[in-house]
mmCIF file of all heavy atoms in Angstrom:
data_model
loop_
_atom_site.group_PDB
_atom_site.id
_atom_site.type_symbol
_atom_site.label_atom_id
_atom_site.label_comp_id
_atom_site.label_asym_id
_atom_site.label_seq_id
_atom_site.Cartn_x
_atom_site.Cartn_y
_atom_site.Cartn_z
ATOM 1 N N LEU A 179 -1.071 -16.180 2.166
ATOM 2 C CA LEU A 179 -1.039 -14.863 1.539
ATOM 3 C C LEU A 179 -1.749 -13.822 2.409
ATOM 4 O O LEU A 179 -1.278 -12.695 2.554
ATOM 5 C CB LEU A 179 -1.689 -14.918 0.159
ATOM 6 C CG LEU A 179 -0.981 -15.759 -0.913
ATOM 7 C CD1 LEU A 179 -1.774 -15.718 -2.211
ATOM 8 C CD2 LEU A 179 0.435 -15.264 -1.155
ATOM 9 N N GLU A 180 -2.882 -14.203 2.967
ATOM 10 C CA GLU A 180 -3.636 -13.279 3.814
ATOM 11 C C GLU A 180 -2.822 -12.889 5.039
ATOM 12 O O GLU A 180 -2.842 -11.740 5.489
ATOM 13 C CB GLU A 180 -4.962 -13.910 4.239
ATOM 14 C CG GLU A 180 -5.976 -14.062 3.120
ATOM 15 C CD GLU A 180 -6.408 -12.722 2.559
ATOM 16 O OE1 GLU A 180 -6.487 -11.745 3.333
ATOM 17 O OE2 GLU A 180 -6.661 -12.642 1.345
ATOM 18 N N THR A 181 -2.070 -13.857 5.588
ATOM 19 C CA THR A 181 -1.222 -13.569 6.742
ATOM 20 C C THR A 181 -0.201 -12.501 6.401
ATOM 21 O O THR A 181 0.071 -11.585 7.180
ATOM 22 C CB THR A 181 -0.504 -14.840 7.218
ATOM 23 O OG1 THR A 181 -1.481 -15.808 7.606
ATOM 24 C CG2 THR A 181 0.414 -14.548 8.401
ATOM 25 N N GLY A 182 0.355 -12.620 5.198
ATOM 26 C CA GLY A 182 1.311 -11.620 4.755
ATOM 27 C C GLY A 182 0.690 -10.240 4.630
ATOM 28 O O GLY A 182 1.271 -9.235 5.050
ATOM 29 N N LEU A 183 -0.506 -10.173 4.061
ATOM 30 C CA LEU A 183 -1.177 -8.889 3.883
ATOM 31 C C LEU A 183 -1.508 -8.229 5.219
ATOM 32 O O LEU A 183 -1.516 -7.005 5.331
ATOM 33 C CB LEU A 183 -2.460 -9.070 3.070
ATOM 34 C CG LEU A 183 -2.284 -9.348 1.581
ATOM 35 C CD1 LEU A 183 -3.633 -9.575 0.925
ATOM 36 C CD2 LEU A 183 -1.572 -8.185 0.903
ATOM 37 N N GLU A 184 -1.765 -9.049 6.220
ATOM 38 C CA GLU A 184 -2.085 -8.512 7.545
ATOM 39 C C GLU A 184 -0.866 -7.902 8.226
ATOM 40 O O GLU A 184 -0.999 -7.196 9.230
ATOM 41 C CB GLU A 184 -2.669 -9.621 8.424
ATOM 42 C CG GLU A 184 -4.054 -10.078 7.983
ATOM 43 C CD GLU A 184 -4.503 -11.341 8.700
ATOM 44 O OE1 GLU A 184 -3.728 -11.834 9.568
ATOM 45 O OE2 GLU A 184 -5.610 -11.827 8.411
ATOM 46 N N LYS A 185 0.321 -8.179 7.672
ATOM 47 C CA LYS A 185 1.555 -7.705 8.301
ATOM 48 C C LYS A 185 2.191 -6.556 7.522
ATOM 49 O O LYS A 185 3.416 -6.405 7.502
ATOM 50 C CB LYS A 185 2.538 -8.868 8.445
ATOM 51 C CG LYS A 185 2.019 -9.962 9.372
ATOM 52 C CD LYS A 185 3.090 -10.961 9.737
ATOM 53 C CE LYS A 185 2.566 -11.926 10.792
ATOM 54 N NZ LYS A 185 3.626 -12.849 11.252
ATOM 55 N N ILE A 186 1.378 -5.758 6.895
ATOM 56 C CA ILE A 186 1.913 -4.648 6.119
ATOM 57 C C ILE A 186 2.692 -3.669 6.989
ATOM 58 O O ILE A 186 3.708 -3.110 6.565
ATOM 59 C CB ILE A 186 0.780 -3.923 5.350
ATOM 60 C CG1 ILE A 186 1.392 -2.898 4.385
ATOM 61 C CG2 ILE A 186 -0.217 -3.285 6.290
ATOM 62 C CD1 ILE A 186 0.391 -2.309 3.423
ATOM 63 N N ASP A 187 2.266 -3.469 8.244
ATOM 64 C CA ASP A 187 2.991 -2.559 9.130
ATOM 65 C C ASP A 187 4.407 -3.066 9.362
ATOM 66 O O ASP A 187 5.361 -2.276 9.387
ATOM 67 C CB ASP A 187 2.264 -2.419 10.467
ATOM 68 C CG ASP A 187 0.954 -1.647 10.349
ATOM 69 O OD1 ASP A 187 0.824 -0.879 9.370
ATOM 70 O OD2 ASP A 187 0.081 -1.803 11.217
ATOM 71 N N GLU A 188 4.549 -4.390 9.541
ATOM 72 C CA GLU A 188 5.874 -4.968 9.746
ATOM 73 C C GLU A 188 6.722 -4.840 8.487
ATOM 74 O O GLU A 188 7.932 -4.580 8.554
ATOM 75 C CB GLU A 188 5.745 -6.447 10.152
ATOM 76 C CG GLU A 188 5.098 -6.655 11.503
ATOM 77 C CD GLU A 188 4.971 -8.129 11.853
ATOM 78 O OE1 GLU A 188 5.736 -8.944 11.296
ATOM 79 O OE2 GLU A 188 4.099 -8.462 12.686
ATOM 80 N N ALA A 189 6.100 -5.035 7.336
ATOM 81 C CA ALA A 189 6.828 -4.918 6.070
ATOM 82 C C ALA A 189 7.341 -3.499 5.877
ATOM 83 O O ALA A 189 8.481 -3.285 5.440
ATOM 84 C CB ALA A 189 5.920 -5.312 4.911
ATOM 85 N N ILE A 190 6.511 -2.514 6.205
ATOM 86 C CA ILE A 190 6.910 -1.117 6.063
ATOM 87 C C ILE A 190 8.053 -0.796 7.019
ATOM 88 O O ILE A 190 9.046 -0.147 6.648
ATOM 89 C CB ILE A 190 5.715 -0.190 6.312
ATOM 90 C CG1 ILE A 190 4.696 -0.336 5.178
ATOM 91 C CG2 ILE A 190 6.161 1.255 6.451
ATOM 92 C CD1 ILE A 190 3.373 0.360 5.438
ATOM 93 N N ALA A 191 7.938 -1.254 8.276
ATOM 94 C CA ALA A 191 8.978 -0.980 9.276
ATOM 95 C C ALA A 191 10.311 -1.587 8.848
ATOM 96 O O ALA A 191 11.370 -0.954 8.976
ATOM 97 C CB ALA A 191 8.550 -1.536 10.636
ATOM 98 N N GLU A 192 10.274 -2.819 8.341
ATOM 99 C CA GLU A 192 11.508 -3.470 7.892
ATOM 100 C C GLU A 192 12.100 -2.756 6.679
ATOM 101 O O GLU A 192 13.315 -2.556 6.585
ATOM 102 C CB GLU A 192 11.238 -4.937 7.548
ATOM 103 C CG GLU A 192 12.481 -5.680 7.109
ATOM 104 C CD GLU A 192 12.208 -7.138 6.784
ATOM 105 O OE1 GLU A 192 11.095 -7.617 7.080
ATOM 106 O OE2 GLU A 192 13.108 -7.787 6.229
ATOM 107 N N ALA A 193 11.235 -2.366 5.744
ATOM 108 C CA ALA A 193 11.713 -1.691 4.539
ATOM 109 C C ALA A 193 12.383 -0.364 4.882
ATOM 110 O O ALA A 193 13.394 0.012 4.273
ATOM 111 C CB ALA A 193 10.554 -1.470 3.577
ATOM 112 N N LYS A 194 11.858 0.347 5.852
ATOM 113 C CA LYS A 194 12.425 1.640 6.226
ATOM 114 C C LYS A 194 13.842 1.499 6.774
ATOM 115 O O LYS A 194 14.646 2.432 6.685
ATOM 116 C CB LYS A 194 11.525 2.333 7.245
ATOM 117 C CG LYS A 194 10.248 2.914 6.648
ATOM 118 C CD LYS A 194 9.419 3.638 7.695
ATOM 119 C CE LYS A 194 8.205 4.301 7.064
ATOM 120 N NZ LYS A 194 7.370 5.020 8.072
ATOM 121 N N ILE A 195 14.157 0.334 7.308
ATOM 122 C CA ILE A 195 15.507 0.089 7.823
ATOM 123 C C ILE A 195 16.504 -0.029 6.679
ATOM 124 O O ILE A 195 17.646 0.423 6.767
ATOM 125 C CB ILE A 195 15.529 -1.196 8.670
ATOM 126 C CG1 ILE A 195 14.680 -1.019 9.929
ATOM 127 C CG2 ILE A 195 16.968 -1.580 9.036
ATOM 128 C CD1 ILE A 195 14.506 -2.289 10.735
ATOM 129 N N HIS A 196 16.055 -0.630 5.582
ATOM 130 C CA HIS A 196 16.959 -0.975 4.489
ATOM 131 C C HIS A 196 17.024 0.065 3.378
ATOM 132 O O HIS A 196 17.933 0.021 2.545
ATOM 133 C CB HIS A 196 16.554 -2.319 3.893
ATOM 134 C CG HIS A 196 16.641 -3.457 4.873
ATOM 135 N ND1 HIS A 196 17.845 -3.954 5.318
ATOM 136 C CD2 HIS A 196 15.673 -4.172 5.506
ATOM 137 C CE1 HIS A 196 17.621 -4.940 6.173
ATOM 138 N NE2 HIS A 196 16.318 -5.089 6.303
ATOM 139 N N TYR A 197 16.075 0.990 3.337
ATOM 140 C CA TYR A 197 16.034 1.945 2.241
ATOM 141 C C TYR A 197 16.219 3.366 2.732
ATOM 142 O O TYR A 197 15.835 3.692 3.858
ATOM 143 C CB TYR A 197 14.714 1.806 1.469
ATOM 144 C CG TYR A 197 14.620 0.510 0.711
ATOM 145 C CD1 TYR A 197 14.025 -0.607 1.290
ATOM 146 C CD2 TYR A 197 15.152 0.397 -0.566
ATOM 147 C CE1 TYR A 197 13.958 -1.815 0.603
ATOM 148 C CE2 TYR A 197 15.085 -0.794 -1.255
ATOM 149 C CZ TYR A 197 14.490 -1.899 -0.669
ATOM 150 O OH TYR A 197 14.439 -3.083 -1.350
ATOM 151 N N PRO A 198 16.797 4.228 1.893
ATOM 152 C CA PRO A 198 17.049 5.619 2.292
ATOM 153 C C PRO A 198 15.755 6.361 2.611
ATOM 154 O O PRO A 198 14.661 5.956 2.207
ATOM 155 C CB PRO A 198 17.722 6.221 1.047
ATOM 156 C CG PRO A 198 18.256 5.050 0.291
ATOM 157 C CD PRO A 198 17.284 3.935 0.538
ATOM 158 N N GLU A 199 15.914 7.470 3.312
ATOM 159 C CA GLU A 199 14.750 8.246 3.750
ATOM 160 C C GLU A 199 13.934 8.801 2.587
ATOM 161 O O GLU A 199 12.741 9.010 2.713
ATOM 162 C CB GLU A 199 15.198 9.396 4.666
ATOM 163 C CG GLU A 199 15.714 8.924 6.016
ATOM 164 C CD GLU A 199 16.029 10.092 6.936
ATOM 165 O OE1 GLU A 199 15.813 11.249 6.519
ATOM 166 O OE2 GLU A 199 16.486 9.846 8.060
ATOM 167 N N HIS A 200 14.596 9.032 1.440
ATOM 168 C CA HIS A 200 13.858 9.626 0.325
ATOM 169 C C HIS A 200 12.966 8.613 -0.385
ATOM 170 O O HIS A 200 12.185 8.982 -1.245
ATOM 171 C CB HIS A 200 14.824 10.267 -0.683
ATOM 172 C CG HIS A 200 15.638 9.284 -1.466
ATOM 173 N ND1 HIS A 200 16.848 8.811 -1.020
ATOM 174 C CD2 HIS A 200 15.421 8.684 -2.660
ATOM 175 C CE1 HIS A 200 17.347 7.971 -1.915
ATOM 176 N NE2 HIS A 200 16.503 7.866 -2.921
ATOM 177 N N TYR A 201 13.066 7.328 -0.028
ATOM 178 C CA TYR A 201 12.174 6.327 -0.611
ATOM 179 C C TYR A 201 10.794 6.468 0.028
ATOM 180 O O TYR A 201 10.670 6.388 1.253
ATOM 181 C CB TYR A 201 12.695 4.918 -0.344
ATOM 182 C CG TYR A 201 13.698 4.411 -1.346
ATOM 183 C CD1 TYR A 201 14.774 5.181 -1.749
ATOM 184 C CD2 TYR A 201 13.569 3.129 -1.887
ATOM 185 C CE1 TYR A 201 15.697 4.717 -2.657
ATOM 186 C CE2 TYR A 201 14.499 2.649 -2.805
ATOM 187 C CZ TYR A 201 15.560 3.445 -3.178
ATOM 188 O OH TYR A 201 16.474 2.989 -4.077
ATOM 189 N N PRO A 202 9.733 6.651 -0.767
ATOM 190 C CA PRO A 202 8.384 6.818 -0.205
ATOM 191 C C PRO A 202 7.762 5.460 0.148
ATOM 192 O O PRO A 202 6.728 5.063 -0.392
ATOM 193 C CB PRO A 202 7.625 7.498 -1.351
ATOM 194 C CG PRO A 202 8.278 6.941 -2.590
ATOM 195 C CD PRO A 202 9.740 6.783 -2.245
ATOM 196 N N ILE A 203 8.416 4.739 1.041
ATOM 197 C CA ILE A 203 8.053 3.350 1.318
ATOM 198 C C ILE A 203 6.607 3.195 1.776
ATOM 199 O O ILE A 203 5.859 2.363 1.246
ATOM 200 C CB ILE A 203 8.997 2.749 2.385
ATOM 201 C CG1 ILE A 203 10.420 2.614 1.816
ATOM 202 C CG2 ILE A 203 8.485 1.396 2.877
ATOM 203 C CD1 ILE A 203 10.507 1.659 0.652
#
Side-chain angles (χ1 to χ4, degrees):
L179 294 179
E180 290 296 326
T181 299
L183 287 177
E184 291 169 2
K185 296 192 173 185
I186 188 170
D187 290 338
E188 294 179 23
I190 291 170
E192 181 179 350
K194 285 182 176 180
I195 294 173
H196 298 289
Y197 291 93
E199 291 185 2
H200 70 272
Y201 274 48
I203 292 297

